[in-house]
Amino acid sequence: NAGVTQTPKFQVLKTGQSMTLQCAQDMNHEYMSWYRQDPGMGLRLIHYSVGAGITDQGEVPNGYNVSRSTTEDFPLRLLSAAPSQTSVYFCASIEPPYGYTFGSGTRLTVV
Amino acid sequence: SQQGEEDPQALSIQEGENATMNCSYKTSINNLQWYRQNSGRGLVHLILIRSNEREKHSGRLRVTLDTSKKSSSLLITASRAADTASYFCATVLIQGAQKLVFGQGTRLTINP
């Protein structure tokens, strides 16, 4: 099983550019989430989804959009990249009552 | 604001010793989870303890939960060099769609 797959692994953007971080899971999990991790910090929730067609905001949603058209995919869109969005982004899915399965992350640098 | 706070922020011990990390949180929870993150990698789920449980074991890991003190501890026994990593506690609040709220983590170094 592939689990949670994130692409790309690394990305450099210029300020103002837009891009989409891809996340796919093959475990048929309903719940999926996006987190960002800044140096020396824990993870902060950006957006989450409880199923196809249903998304909601987390702790730090500004500057990001999500959609959930299928159970498998949960892309994260940066609308107009800013240096403050330089971070490592993790996608995760969960089948309660078990723990989350995380992707390997996307390291994003905005210059 | 983050729900959990780990203590200590960094811990360095000799191989074979036991490592204890603590986590405190602020609001009522449904469950608490511990994750490990090796440098530059994603997080790996270690163990989940529900709010009605007080202790749980998994291999060399022992987790306790004290809901009256809003705290949890993770004990790693007989540590190995491969245990070197950052360890995070994360809580699932009673109200919420399985949203994890993370602490800032404990950086554990096992010296050979």
Side-chain angles (χ1 to χ4, degrees), chain B residues 8 21 25 27 41 52 60 71-72 75 77 82 89-90 96-97 101 110 112:
Chain B
M21 289 159 273
Y25 56 92
T27 62
R41 307 291 294 273
N52 61 353
R60 294 184 296 113
S71 67
S72 174
L75 169 66
T77 60
C89 72
V101 183
I110 308 299

Side-chain angles (χ1 to χ4, degrees), chain B residues 9-73:
Chain B
Q9 292 187 352
L11 179 62
S12 180
I13 61 174
Q14 296 299 119
E15 195 167 18
E17 294 181 338
N18 296 340
T20 300
M21 289 159 273
N22 302 297
C23 169
S24 60
Y25 56 92
K26 298 175 184 176
T27 62
S28 296
I29 61 170
N30 178 275
N31 66 70
L32 185 145
Q33 304 175 28
W34 285 90
Y35 288 81
R36 183 186 74 233
Q37 184 180 36
N38 292 92
S39 182
R41 307 291 294 273
L43 279 76
V44 174
H45 178 255
L46 295 176
I47 197 165
L48 181 154
I49 186 166
R50 294 178 178 79
S51 60
N52 61 353
E53 297 176 311
R54 292 297 168 258
E55 186 171 313
K56 205 162 184 179
H57 297 255
S58 178
R60 294 184 296 113
L61 305 180
R62 182 172 78 99
V63 169
T64 62
L65 179 64
D66 187 335
T67 54
S68 66
K69 295 181 179 178
K70 293 186 169 58
S71 67
S72 174
S73 67

